[in-house]
Amino acid sequence: MSGYCLHAAQTGTTISLHAHSRKQSFSQTAFRHQQIQTATALSRRTCKYGSKHGRLTILAASSTDETVRRSNDPIRSAQDVAEGLQDFLDEAQRSLGTDEAPLPEHPIGEAGTIDVAEGLDAGVIRVPSDFFAREGLKLTPEYTVGKEIGGGVQGRVLALNGPDGEKTNKLLKVMKYKLATPMTGLDVGLKREWLIGQQLNTLTGKDGQLHGFMGTGACLLDKETDMPCGLIIEKVNGIPCEKRLTKDESFADVRYLLEMCKQVFGYLHEAWDKIGFTHGDLNCANVMEHRGNADLYLPAGFTNDHETQMFKLPGDDEPEQLEFRIIDYGHARLAKNKALAKLPKAPGLERSYRKWWEGKGDVWRLLQDMAVTIDGRTWPAEEEAHVRMLIGLIRKVTGVTISAFFKGQMGYKYSGREMEMPWHSRSGFGHNIRKYRMRIWAFSFKRNTQIKPIEALQWMRGNEEYYKVKYGGSED
């Protein structure tokens, strides 16, 4: 029989974890959601902001035959341990922030500014140490916290409304497990993301507006410790390119993809040239369509002064201008000799993540992800020249040759280096296995992994005429 317990005792903003095991090692102990008994007691007090402080003890029940069998499997055992820790953090989050207490009548945040670099002031909002974001909470006189609209393992994203509940173009990003920051370093990561965003905000165009990047607003700081606990960000109105390509398998606008590459490479070049910016996690999910008057997930049309191509996307009555924006600076970094403000040292988890992707630049990462996303798609035959150019760009950078099908008056035509097989089509047998193979190939047999954005742009401009002459195609 084995047991495992985790104790979390909170004092101020510090959380300590103590692990005790009997007879079995950590990797041999199997956690299951159904077997966790939660004992929460010991002098809880409720604050007026809806947070609770207490002592949490989570005990894993004694092993059953099933858990013994799972613990002998190292992969399942690791999964069970991860699930157990996730249950612990979920219970801690629910216990320390609930909707039971009434909301305060007045705004809880105090807005101000701080100097992050010479000539660069950034907004901050100081909030109580027991701050917990929930719908209806008045953050400042200008903003009220709205509904939670998204998030991930590390954070939550909530809408920000005006004082009378009207919609705004801002969102609130908060840490999901504030108690775990001493272990995860999420507070340091959030501060880095905020400082990087403030410097990206300086890259305005001739119209004085930021283009190509998600705008970053004020940082929420703990009044007592100055620890970052939230961030106001711009609401990019549109959907990620990844959703556009995967939710509608029939979507095959190659000019959409080429325009996205041109815009993104151009923005990356400008950001590197001026502040030494590298995104560090660029893929199709981190590039979004931005359509100014659109709903968050149901794009309509928009117009602005930024020069972009016209596109008619699903749901549009007429072609509209389309701008692409890069989001999520959680893994970004700045070159020390170009940055306007010094960044705190990256947390240990972030440094480990970088080690895995060391030597692989933003252009390579975007195109290897795009290759897997569009492989085996059917394109209009009249766009063959543009499709061939995109295939050539992907092959030059990643070394991967994607398969493509063309549909026209003469029927279907297949394009690929290998003889046509079922797995070359997106709907064909074995295509998912092919996608994994493509990722492994690109990762293992590196090609131009550190190609610069300006070099990729120059290749596109220099080869556009070649592909038009060789494969023909429609006029621009």
Side-chain angles (χ1 to χ4, degrees):
M1 182 121 79
S2 67
Y4 196 84
C5 62
L6 295 173
H7 299 286
Q10 184 188 1
T11 305
T13 58
T14 304
I15 183 78
S16 59
L17 286 175
H18 309 282
H20 309 285
S21 61
R22 295 197 302 270
K23 296 184 180 179
Q24 284 189 319
S25 67
F26 185 87
S27 63
Q28 293 173 319
T29 305
F31 276 82
R32 300 238 15 179
H33 180 74
Q34 298 88 341
Q35 297 168 321
I36 292 181
Q37 302 171 342
T38 306
T40 58
L42 302 178
S43 64
R44 282 187 171 180
R45 64 179 179 82
T46 304
C47 75
K48 63 181 179 179
Y49 303 113
S51 298
K52 292 184 178 180
H53 296 271
R55 180 179 178 85
L56 302 175
T57 305
I58 293 184
L59 301 174
S62 56
S63 299
T64 63
D65 292 341
E66 170 63 13
T67 59
V68 169
R69 284 194 297 270
R70 289 175 68 90
S71 66
N72 289 331
D73 182 340
I75 296 179
R76 285 178 174 261
S77 179
Q79 292 173 340
D80 289 335
V81 170
E83 290 172 3
L85 290 175
Q86 184 72 47
D87 288 332
F88 165 74
L89 293 174
D90 285 341
E91 184 61 28
Q93 184 72 24
R94 287 192 296 269
S95 181
L96 296 173
T98 71
D99 293 337
E100 297 174 1
L103 291 167
E105 295 182 4
H106 303 289
I108 65 167
E110 299 175 2
T113 60
I114 61 174
D115 296 330
V116 297
E118 185 177 353
L120 181 60
D121 295 337
V124 296
I125 300 174
R126 301 189 183 277
V127 296
S129 296
D130 44 21
F131 165 75
F132 181 78
R134 59 189 178 106
E135 186 177 357
L137 181 67
K138 295 180 180 179
L139 184 61
T140 66
E142 294 79 22
Y143 297 122
T144 299
V145 179
K147 293 183 178 180
E148 184 171 337
I149 62 172
V153 175
Q154 299 179 346
R156 301 158 56 217
V157 178
L158 303 97
L160 278 180
N161 300 327
D164 298 322
E166 65 273 20
K167 291 184 178 180
T168 71
N169 65 339
K170 298 292 189 294
L171 300 173
L172 176 64
K173 178 179 180 179
V174 293
M175 290 186 296
K176 198 169 185 178
Y177 304 117
K178 183 179 177 182
L179 297 176
T181 52
M183 297 177 294
T184 62
L186 291 181
D187 54 336
V188 178
L190 192 64
K191 185 175 182 179
R192 287 177 56 88
E193 186 173 354
W194 172 61
L195 289 172
I196 290 172
Q198 294 300 317
Q199 295 174 72
L200 285 171
N201 287 347
T202 65
L203 306 180
T204 54
K206 294 179 180 179
D207 56 1
Q209 301 296 316
L210 175 67
H211 296 289
F213 294 94
M214 173 190 70
T216 305
C219 182
L220 275 60
L221 298 177
D222 187 306
K223 284 183 178 179
E224 296 182 7
T225 64
D226 268 354
M227 180 181 78
C229 54
L231 185 63
I232 293 179
I233 57 177
E234 178 190 12
K235 178 182 177 181
V236 180
N237 289 323
I239 63 174
C241 295
E242 183 261 347
K243 283 190 177 181
R244 175 68 68 193
L245 295 169
T246 57
K247 280 201 166 187
D248 184 2
E249 293 290 344
S250 65
F251 181 77
D253 191 337
V254 65
R255 301 194 187 211
Y256 169 99
L257 293 171
L258 291 172
E259 177 69 12
M260 185 260 276
C261 288
K262 290 176 182 177
Q263 288 192 31
V264 168
F265 296 162
Y267 296 137
L268 287 173
H269 170 66
E270 180 185 17
W272 168 258
D273 188 55
K274 293 184 177 179
I275 61 173
F277 173 84
T278 301
H279 187 275
D281 189 28
L282 196 59
N283 52 53
C284 293
N286 283 334
V287 178
M288 290 187 67
E289 306 167 3
H290 180 64
R291 303 161 69 81
N293 299 324
D295 183 81
L296 185 61
Y297 290 110
L298 297 174
F302 89 110
T303 57
N304 64 15
D305 296 331
H306 189 57
E307 186 177 349
T308 62
Q309 284 197 20
M310 307 290 282
F311 290 90
K312 184 177 180 181
L313 298 177
D316 290 347
D317 294 328
E318 298 292 337
E320 298 286 351
Q321 285 182 315
L322 183 63
E323 181 181 338
F324 294 92
R325 294 210 173 180
I326 300 167
I327 66 169
D328 192 355
Y329 314 137
H331 297 292
R333 54 188 183 273
L334 302 178
K336 292 181 179 179
N337 62 331
K338 294 187 176 185
L340 305 178
K342 184 179 179 181
L343 303 179
K345 185 177 180 180
L349 289 176
E350 172 63 21
R351 295 196 299 273
S352 299
Y353 177 85
R354 290 183 188 176
K355 195 70 177 176
W356 176 257
W357 292 102
E358 188 175 12
K360 299 171 182 64
D362 288 338
V363 174
W364 182 89
R365 293 190 64 175
L366 177 63
L367 291 180
Q368 67 88 23
D369 184 63
M370 185 187 295
V372 175
T373 305
I374 67 174
D375 180 66
R377 199 170 292 258
T378 300
W379 310 88
E382 61 270 19
E383 295 289 354
E384 182 175 357
H386 293 95
V387 174
R388 295 276 189 179
M389 187 175 80
L390 182 60
I391 292 174
L393 174 65
I394 291 173
R395 182 169 61 245
K396 173 179 174 58
V397 175
T398 69
V400 171
T401 301
I402 67 172
S403 61
F405 296 84
F406 299 97
K407 181 181 179 181
Q409 295 180 349
M410 304 299 293
Y412 281 91
K413 183 172 83 170
Y414 164 72
S415 170
R417 280 195 168 183
E418 304 166 342
M419 183 176 65
E420 182 181 356
M421 300 297 287
W423 48 80
H424 288 128
S425 171
R426 293 193 68 79
S427 59
F429 171 78
H431 188 259
N432 285 333
I433 297 176
R434 171 176 163 80
K435 290 193 295 185
Y436 284 114
R437 176 182 172 272
M438 290 171 64
R439 288 193 186 276
I440 294 171
W441 179 275
F443 196 92
S444 303
F445 301 96
K446 305 174 181 63
R447 201 156 184 177
N448 293 315
T449 56
Q450 298 192 57
I451 185 172
K452 297 177 181 178
I454 189 63
E455 293 173 341
L457 271 178
Q458 290 170 346
W459 186 94
M460 294 177 71
R461 291 168 181 161
N463 286 274
E464 188 171 10
E465 191 63 29
Y466 163 78
Y467 281 97
K468 283 184 180 180
V469 172
K470 185 173 182 179
Y471 296 102
S474 58
E475 296 294 328
D476 289 332

